Amino acid sequence: MKTRITTTLAGLGLALGIAGAASAAETTMRIAHVNPPEAMASNAGAMSAVFKQLAETASNGEIEVTIYPAGQLGKDAEAIAQVRQGIIESSISTAGGVAEHYPKIGVFDIPFAFPNIGVANEVISLESDFGQMLAQDIHEETGLKVLGLLDSGGFFQFTNSQKPISSPEDMEGLRIRTMTLPTHEAMINSMGSQATPLAWAEVYTALQTGVADGQMNPIQQTAFAKFDEVQDYLTISNHLITPYVWFVNQDFYNGLPEEHRRIIDWASKVAVESGRAMSRIIEASEQGLPKLADSMEVNTITPEQREAFATKAQPAVRQVIEDKYGEEGIALLEAMLASIEEARAAQQQ
């Protein structure tokens, strides 16, 4: 499936401006992401900072890494478009942005599929058979090389301003903000809530004014966005976990000296592990769950409640995957589910 590539004029202008900058380095690699720039504030910030330090040091300055955080070059989908066009070399991108170029990333939206973060780490990785399969399929569809895979900051949790949520019945009537993804909308609607698709920039105001009653995001995004100021209840539901995909332009990568490819491969692998660790640190630190618990009522659903949610939501999302992505989508979904079961069994040994 070929995706039409679009780039905003603002992002293109900025990218063209940086493209003309002179560099004394033999290899220049520009990385875009939409997260905060500080290494201690986001996993993408940590990954890009670690990668820069390792690649530049190991190459004795022959590789120069420039980071464009916080959406400086545009939204996720626009940054990916720039990587595809060769305007920049690399991006670390959320599933929402990836979906515009590779729609089958929506298989990760099957809810309550991953039992815990350990299993997620095993599956959402270039070290797994499924990760290699996914990376190859992304390359065939987009022409981009996948440099790394990891979770986008942990499991999604529900927040809302109306009541504690412990069962699917508690979801009924709530207006829950979602990304503009049909899988997310189907999941929310299947539980009796009203999916309310909104752009990220509109979410705080929508929660504040009652346009939406609740939202779903990982702990770190919920905390950094200060949703605890406009939400009263946090439910630890662990219902979704979506990937960050680290892309690099294939022609750029192929044109590198062998030693520089080796350094980039090694540095990106270490950086991904740093990103995983930073997500867990943020969740557990005073920037994460403890911060939210100071001002919100927190409850965790039980395994029995989790099963009730899954029974409601999974068939609806699976149907969307089948309708939108066809046999290829279902095959990718089944491969992911098999990988989850394999990782779960290994964990229990």
Side-chain angles (χ1 to χ4, degrees), residues 159 200 203-205 207-208 215 218-232 287 291-292 295-296:
T159 71
W200 176 250
V203 179
Y204 185 96
T205 300
L207 297 172
Q208 185 179 45
Q215 60 89 43
I219 291 294
Q220 63 174 285
Q221 280 87 340
T222 296
F224 288 143
K226 299 182 178 179
F227 289 153
D228 54 313
E229 296 177 347
V230 290
Q231 300 276 269
D232 298 314
Q287 300 179 77
K291 171 184 182 293
L292 298 180
S295 55
M296 302 175 75

Side-chain angles (χ1 to χ4, degrees), residues 282-305:
I282 291 171
E283 283 178 334
S285 76
E286 290 303 318
Q287 300 179 77
L289 185 57
K291 171 184 182 293
L292 298 180
D294 282 342
S295 55
M296 302 175 75
E297 181 179 324
V298 181
N299 70 286
T300 302
I301 65 171
T302 66
E304 293 76 20
Q305 291 165 342

Side-chain angles (χ1 to χ4, degrees), residues 79-227:
I80 297 169
Q82 292 168 30
V83 179
R84 294 181 76 175
Q85 293 169 324
I87 297 169
I88 61 175
E89 290 74 37
S90 183
S91 71
I92 302 169
S93 302
T94 66
V98 173
E100 295 192 30
H101 298 265
Y102 179 74
K104 284 182 285 184
I105 201 73
V107 301
F108 281 93
D109 292 334
I110 196 79
F112 302 97
F114 288 87
N116 56 57
I117 195 64
V119 168
N121 286 347
E122 290 294 323
V123 175
I124 308 174
S125 168
L126 284 183
E127 304 300 309
S128 73
D129 290 342
F130 173 74
Q132 287 288 326
M133 173 185 174
L134 177 66
Q136 180 60 34
D137 199 50
I138 290 174
H139 180 263
E140 290 174 1
E141 295 282 342
T142 68
L144 293 172
K145 176 179 175 61
V146 175
L147 202 57
L149 288 171
L150 76 161
D151 68 271
S152 61
F155 280 104
F156 279 55
Q157 322 294 355
F158 288 117
T159 71
N160 81 97
S161 60
Q162 301 300 311
K163 57 186 176 180
I165 295 171
S166 297
S167 69
E169 290 71 31
D170 294 330
M171 298 285 292
E172 291 180 4
L174 294 177
R175 293 164 296 184
I176 303 294
R177 180 266 174 179
T178 68
M179 289 185 271
T180 54
L181 295 173
T183 43
H184 287 198
E185 294 174 40
M187 181 188 69
I188 294 301
N189 291 335
S190 73
M191 292 185 284
S193 299
Q194 178 184 333
T196 307
L198 292 169
W200 176 250
E202 303 170 17
V203 179
Y204 185 96
T205 300
L207 297 172
Q208 185 179 45
T209 59
V211 170
D213 298 311
Q215 60 89 43
M216 56 182 192
N217 263 296
I219 291 294
Q220 63 174 285
Q221 280 87 340
T222 296
F224 288 143
K226 299 182 178 179
F227 289 153

Side-chain angles (χ1 to χ4, degrees), residues 270-290:
V270 176
V272 164
E273 293 309 310
S274 301
R276 290 190 203 280
M278 185 54 64
S279 289
R280 308 292 82 78
I281 291 168
I282 291 171
E283 283 178 334
S285 76
E286 290 303 318
Q287 300 179 77
L289 185 57

